[in-house]
Amino acid sequence: MLVYTTCTIRNSKKEIDLMAAKKLQAFWNHPAGPKTIHFWAPTFKWGISIANIADFSKPPEKLSYPQQLAVTFTGLIWTRYSLVITPKNWNLFSVNVAMAGTGLYQLSRKIKHDYLSETEAAVAKE
Amino acid sequence: MEILKTLWKSPIGPKTTHFWGPVFNWSLPIAAYVDRNKPPEQISGRMTGVLCVYSALFMRFAWMVQPRNLHLLVCHAANETVQLYQFSRWVNAQGSSPQQEKEEPES
């Protein structure tokens, strides 16, 4: 009974190894896989959102309205386009959702700083 | 007229998403162009550096993708140029501003 069980588990592991190897090979050799620009260009686009998140700690005076507006709007437009193209590209979708999200947050920080502090200064003068 | 017809029917023409996506991507180089004269202290070296690598990768992508997208290529070539310019301004400002603050009280 014990021999049967261990044999079955060992064979199942071999089957799983074979499946994993096949899937990894399929990924590695895919025409849009990690040997191609079709993989790395959209993957690197995450860097824009990561850089923006790292810039969350920057003082709002140093943020750029044109740049953050551009990041937000390209993010929003490409979020839609990634679902309209064939095939639907969920990686492209998610990276652009992130871009739009971080852009909107940075814009809200700068707008709050530029317009909320004006009202605070006005109140302080009174 | 023939040129216009060819452009209209092109696989990357205005009836396709391959055209309008890059149209909106132009907002990035235009934003950087608008910001070309702002003080270097306001430039985010991190973001500008990332955009330089991003546009380099997407220039290659635009060339290799099917259909080949020259509109996207030109858009990213423009962005690469402006971002490199902004990055160089940021780099040059890195060496000087903290040192100048230290040097002035000494002299």
Side-chain angles (χ1 to χ4, degrees):
Chain A
M1 181 63 199
L2 194 64
V3 173
Y4 175 74
T5 318
T6 38
C7 260
T8 321
I9 294 172
R10 210 176 285 141
N11 286 334
S12 308
K13 278 190 195 169
K14 279 185 194 167
E15 282 170 22
I16 295 171
D17 279 346
L18 202 63
M19 256 175 48
K22 279 185 186 161
K23 292 222 180 231
L24 277 171
Q25 254 185 354
F27 171 67
W28 181 248
N29 291 317
H30 196 278
K35 291 192 273 185
T36 71
I37 190 69
H38 303 288
F39 177 82
W40 290 108
T43 305
F44 188 79
K45 202 166 181 181
W46 280 102
I48 296 179
S49 302
I50 293 168
N52 228 4
I53 291 170
D55 278 352
F56 281 174
S57 53
K58 276 198 119 185
E61 305 87 43
K62 293 204 175 181
L63 296 175
S64 156
Y65 272 128
Q67 192 181 65
Q68 293 302 327
L69 281 166
V71 165
T72 306
F73 280 107
T74 39
L76 288 171
I77 300 294
W78 280 98
T79 306
R80 159 157 168 73
Y81 279 143
S82 53
L83 296 178
V84 165
I85 55 178
T86 32
K88 282 189 189 176
N89 194 329
W90 292 106
N91 185 28
L92 200 64
F93 174 77
S94 47
V95 72
N96 284 292
V97 166
M99 266 181 75
T102 56
L104 279 169
Y105 179 66
Q106 291 283 58
L107 280 174
S108 72
R109 283 182 64 220
K110 192 161 170 71
I111 291 171
K112 267 188 201 164
H113 175 265
D114 286 351
Y115 296 103
L116 206 63
S117 34
E118 274 178 21
T119 50
E120 280 174 6
V123 168
K125 282 177 192 170
E126 290 167 19
Chain B
M1 269 314 293
E2 286 305 311
I3 298 174
L4 286 173
K5 273 188 195 168
T6 320
L7 285 172
W8 180 250
K9 289 180 188 170
S10 161
I12 57 165
K15 292 196 277 186
T16 71
T17 184
H18 305 293
F19 178 84
W20 294 104
V23 164
F24 287 97
N25 261 335
W26 275 104
S27 65
L28 282 167
I30 289 169
Y33 182 76
V34 163
D35 278 343
R36 69 191 181 287
N37 287 325
K38 74 173 178 184
E41 299 80 41
Q42 287 182 18
I43 298 177
S44 165
R46 200 179 272 136
M47 182 62 108
T48 311
V50 165
L51 287 170
C52 287
V53 180
Y54 159 78
S55 275
L57 286 172
F58 270 95
M59 278 166 66
R60 171 73 181 161
F61 177 87
W63 185 255
M64 294 306 293
V65 79
Q66 286 298 331
R68 182 158 281 172
N69 198 329
L70 292 175
H71 181 189
L72 192 68
L73 178 66
V74 168
C75 172
H76 279 292
N79 197 35
E80 186 68 29
T81 312
V82 210
Q83 296 297 339
L84 281 171
Y85 173 67
Q86 290 287 65
F87 192 69
S88 69
R89 288 180 66 223
W90 178 79
V91 167
N92 287 332
Q94 289 309 295
S96 47
S97 26
Q99 287 174 9
Q100 276 176 354
E101 286 173 26
K102 288 179 195 166
E103 283 170 15
E104 282 170 17
E106 286 172 25
S107 58

